[in-house]
Amino acid sequence: MKQYLPIILLMFLFSFSSCDDTLDCIINVRPEIRTKTLALGFVDEYYSEAITAEIKNEVNDNDYDYYFDVVGRLPEGIEVFYNRRREVVFKGIPKEAGRFRLEVYLEVTSHYDEGGRINGPLCSDNTSESYVLVIR
C-alpha cells in the first residue's frame, strides 16, 4: 500500500485541477523581472539603462505580451520607454541629482501563435521589482 500512496496522492491532486495548470506551477512557470543594480548616472550626461523580463522555465517566452508600468518619480530629463518585447528602458539627459526609488510592475498575457495554439497557463501573470536610480 505504501508504494501506491504517491500515485494516489497525485491522482487526487490532478482531480481538482487540470494537469497542465498543476504541472506549470510545479515547474514554476511565471514572469520574472531581472534583478539588477541600475547604472549610476550623471547630471547633463546621456543615460540609458534597460530592465528585461522573461517567463521563468518557459522556452517560448517571446510568445507572450509584456506590459510594464513604472511607479515613482524619475529625475527631470529621463523618460521611460516600454518595449512589449520584454524590456523597459530609461533614457535621456538627467537635469537633477538624487536617489529615485522606482517600482517596475509587469503583467504578461499569453496569445495564440501562428498555429492557432495558445501558450500554456502561468502560475502567476504578474510581478514587480524595486530599483533605485542614482544620479550624481
Side-chain angles (χ1 to χ4, degrees):
M1 179 66 180
K2 285 185 180 182
Q3 65 189 17
Y4 295 111
L5 188 58
I7 294 170
I8 293 169
L9 287 174
L10 278 175
M11 289 174 59
F12 180 76
L13 180 66
F14 289 137
S15 69
F16 285 104
S17 66
S18 75
C19 234
D20 290 339
D21 292 347
T22 304
L23 288 176
D24 285 339
C25 286
I26 290 171
I27 298 171
N28 199 16
V29 178
R30 62 181 171 78
E32 186 175 73
I33 301 173
R34 301 260 170 97
T35 303
K36 67 186 288 185
T37 301
L38 296 179
L40 176 64
F42 297 93
V43 172
D44 294 327
E45 291 185 16
Y46 181 76
Y47 181 86
S48 180
E49 180 71 277
I51 295 172
T52 59
E54 65 183 358
I55 306 295
K56 183 178 179 185
N57 297 320
E58 171 64 84
V59 295
N60 297 316
D61 52 359
N62 278 332
D63 292 339
Y64 291 79
D65 291 321
Y66 293 72
Y67 299 96
F68 291 96
D69 190 23
V70 175
V71 176
R73 189 173 89 73
L74 288 167
E76 182 183 338
I78 296 291
E79 293 183 62
V80 179
F81 297 89
Y82 300 100
N83 179 345
R84 290 177 67 190
R85 276 295 168 203
R86 302 173 41 183
E87 70 180 3
V88 59
V89 179
F90 302 99
K91 63 182 174 179
I93 300 174
K95 300 297 180 189
E96 62 179 310
R99 294 175 59 85
F100 302 88
R101 296 191 182 280
L102 307 169
E103 189 77 19
V104 176
Y105 293 93
L106 169 64
E107 183 174 347
V108 297
T109 60
S110 57
H111 58 84
Y112 290 95
D113 65 12
E114 298 81 28
R117 297 177 308 270
I118 194 164
N119 299 327
L122 302 168
C123 286
S124 169
D125 62 358
N126 59 60
T127 189
S128 66
E129 194 70 45
S130 298
Y131 297 91
V132 176
L133 172 57
V134 178
I135 304 293
R136 291 191 180 159

